[in-house]
Amino acid sequence: MDQALMFVNAYLIPGLVSGSIYALGAIGLTLLFGVLRFTHFAHGDVMTAGAYLALAGVGLFGLHPIMALPLAMAGTSLLCLGINHFFYAPLMKRPSLVLTISSFGVALMIRAAIQLIYGVESQYYVRGIQKSREVFGTFRIVDRHIWIGCSAVALMLALHLLLTRTRLGKAMRAVSDSPDLARLTGISTTTVIRYTWVIGGSLAAVAGVFLGWDGYVHANMGWDQLLPISAAAILGGLGRPYGAMVGGLVIGMAEELSSYPWLGGDALLSPGYKTGVAFAIMVAMLIWRPNGLFGEKVR
Amino acid sequence: MTLLSLEGLVAGYGPDVPILHGVNIRLQAGEIVSIVGPNGAGKSTAMKSAFGLLNVHQGKILIGTEDVTNSRPEAIVRKGVSFVPQTENVFASLTVQENLELGGYFNSRSHVAAGLDRVYSLFPPLREKRHQKSGLLSGGQRQMVAMGRALMPDPKIVLLDEPTAGLSPKYADEIFKLIIDINASGTAVLMVEQNARQALMISNRGYVLVDGRNRHEGTGAGLVRDREVAEMFLGG
């Protein structure tokens, strides 16, 4: 029984929490890839920007991290629209590699700007140890994990409804499917691209806030997430938002479960190798299933 | 009434090398018009230029009396002209109904509902398959989805680029019948076909292009009977 409790509290819940965070980041990455056909390497730093915007809300107005989410989402959306307008839009006609490399530059700029404003020390939304509550009279879970899990599920559901029920969502899928045909159909790709930035940026902001809430806020926090969220996006198949949701959860769980003492005694892998697990999964996918778990078509 | 005219069009894919060297094409209300000619004659290019997909170096494109030379496809489709490309003409990962709905992207909700009714009664097999991904359909049914998408805004003109390419003769016959139906419902059709004889048979008029220039024009039946046209590419 103790063993099962430890499994749930120390591996399953943290796995689900980081899986939700990866999923939110990976969805943005994959939506942007679908519509713009390049990998947005600044996406991790967009997450960081979201986390710091929420920190401003928490610090200035004493907001609860959840209440600071709208502020972070709105600010990050504006940031994304800005970088799209000034950096990516002028390069749209160039090979996608040019965009990818410029996104590295954007990543450095965002990170440097944050370090200039907030410094390089770690910061916290909430100080002190948070109490956990008992669920079903057996295992314990802290409030923020419930918030993170429920919000992630709600946002993914909202995204699902957007993609399948609204004109904008269908247009986004159409541009991702065939940009040329979308133009012939009268869909304004420029508008679709802007909305994709707003959605991808907002989800990244939420991921950043959750990441900061579950640990600390630091200028490198998002950059460090780039590997697992890319792995999640590739696992789900680039351009496929549902794949990214599953991919995020799989990567999050795999990272946590890799350090579970499956063979008794010690951890199977030292938790220090967590990032290595995501990297290994990504490399394996790129070798054997480059179109992702659910992919069939090479683009 | 002239719905669409290309006047002395010199155009190409880039700003320099023209593929069309002065093409004149006219489409009147209620007509089916075919552009035929040997490979590389610039048939598809001529039609694509009417949809704003090429660089026009000289000449004019008119929709009705409005000059739309150098307008973008997004603008042209809003003026009542729809284009069905030869390949990549459906959103493969979207369902049949979603493809059709996107055809009415810039129309009101009620217009879209009316459009769906119209398209489903023209292409009954699509109604049964409306929740299937269009990428999983057969070639002929895909062509129906592509044409249905183009018909959703209830355009005055449909441009069809090789609508029967790659289809079995049975499906090709079906597509030609559907083109007649579409035309009967009041939409003018301009098409490019390599299946020239069949296309000309159902066309009011036809244009023969060779090397990016007009070579012949006449009634559909007249061109089919023309000895020179026949020898050139109808296969005797």
Side-chain angles (χ1 to χ4, degrees), chain B residues 211-234:
Chain B
D211 294 333
R213 290 185 177 84
N214 286 58
R215 172 66 68 88
H216 292 282
E217 60 180 275
T219 61
L223 287 174
V224 174
R225 283 194 306 268
D226 188 295
R227 183 172 293 272
E228 193 193 343
V229 172
E231 274 173 7
M232 197 159 53
F233 66 96
L234 288 180

Side-chain angles (χ1 to χ4, degrees), chain A residues 51 54 94-95 117 128 139 161 174 180 212 248 251 270-271 279 291 296:
Chain A
R94 312 291 292 278
I117 300 169
F139 57 89
L161 293 176
D180 291 337
I251 298 288
S270 154
F279 190 63
N291 296 318
E296 65 275 341

Side-chain angles (χ1 to χ4, degrees), chain B residues 29-191:
Chain B
E31 275 189 322
I32 300 181
V33 171
S34 291
I35 307 173
V36 298
N39 283 337
K43 298 166 298 201
S44 292
T45 312
M47 194 159 74
K48 285 179 189 162
S49 70
F51 208 71
L53 292 167
L54 269 89
N55 275 336
V56 175
H57 308 167
Q58 267 177 58
K60 272 197 295 196
I61 301 161
L62 303 174
I63 295 176
T65 52
E66 192 184 350
D67 190 337
V68 295
T69 317
N70 293 321
S71 290
R72 293 153 57 86
E74 297 97 304
I76 298 212
V77 70
R78 284 169 168 77
K79 297 189 192 299
V81 183
S82 285
F83 175 58
V84 182
Q86 183 188 345
T87 53
E88 255 200 67
N89 52 18
V90 297
F91 297 111
S93 70
L94 274 63
T95 65
V96 169
Q97 178 137 339
E98 285 171 336
N99 266 273
L100 298 180
E101 285 167 350
L102 283 168
Y105 179 72
F106 49 85
N107 297 128
S108 69
R109 233 169 253 279
S110 57
H111 196 130
V112 170
L116 286 174
D117 275 347
R118 198 155 31 81
V119 169
Y120 285 144
S121 52
L122 259 175
F123 310 114
L126 296 189
R127 191 190 292 273
E128 293 156 38
K129 307 228 162 171
R130 64 183 181 277
H131 296 307
Q132 264 194 31
K133 279 195 180 174
S134 44
L136 302 174
L137 300 177
S138 69
Q141 287 171 339
R142 262 188 203 228
Q143 189 62 35
M144 287 184 199
V145 174
M147 286 163 64
R149 178 194 55 72
L151 290 172
M152 280 295 291
D154 202 4
K156 291 178 290 189
I157 304 167
V158 204
L159 311 175
L160 304 173
D161 192 0
E162 310 234 359
T164 69
L167 297 185
S168 68
K170 178 177 149 280
Y171 260 126
D173 288 348
E174 199 169 328
I175 294 294
F176 281 123
K177 280 199 198 92
L178 287 168
I179 293 171
I180 296 174
D181 290 345
I182 291 168
N183 180 246
S185 69
T187 308
V189 178
L190 177 65
M191 68 174 148

Side-chain angles (χ1 to χ4, degrees), chain A residues 66-109:
Chain A
I66 283 284
M67 303 313 284
L69 277 183
L71 175 78
M73 291 164 87
T76 310
S77 296
L78 283 177
L79 171 73
C80 284
L81 288 172
I83 55 180
N84 178 54
H85 182 78
F86 290 108
F87 297 100
Y88 305 137
L91 296 171
M92 274 316 285
K93 296 246 157 81
R94 312 291 292 278
S96 65
L97 188 63
V98 174
L99 282 154
T100 304
I101 291 170
S102 74
S103 76
F104 265 112
V106 169
L108 292 171
M109 284 191 268

Side-chain angles (χ1 to χ4, degrees), chain A residues 88-166:
Chain A
Y88 305 137
L91 296 171
M92 274 316 285
K93 296 246 157 81
R94 312 291 292 278
S96 65
L97 188 63
V98 174
L99 282 154
T100 304
I101 291 170
S102 74
S103 76
F104 265 112
V106 169
L108 292 171
M109 284 191 268
I110 296 176
R111 211 174 322 154
I114 288 170
Q115 285 173 341
L116 281 174
I117 300 169
Y118 280 94
V120 293
E121 302 301 323
S122 302
Q123 312 212 34
Y124 298 86
Y125 292 134
V126 187
R127 289 205 172 269
I129 293 172
Q130 285 180 291
K131 272 207 300 214
S132 57
R133 63 175 74 213
E134 237 174 33
V135 185
F136 308 130
T138 48
F139 57 89
R140 309 187 71 81
I141 182 164
V142 288
D143 281 356
R144 65 168 190 276
H145 286 163
I146 299 174
W147 275 112
I148 291 172
C150 294
S151 314
V153 170
L155 283 169
M156 289 182 216
L157 198 63
L159 181 75
H160 166 70
L161 293 176
L162 176 94
L163 289 174
T164 52
R165 303 288 162 85
T166 69

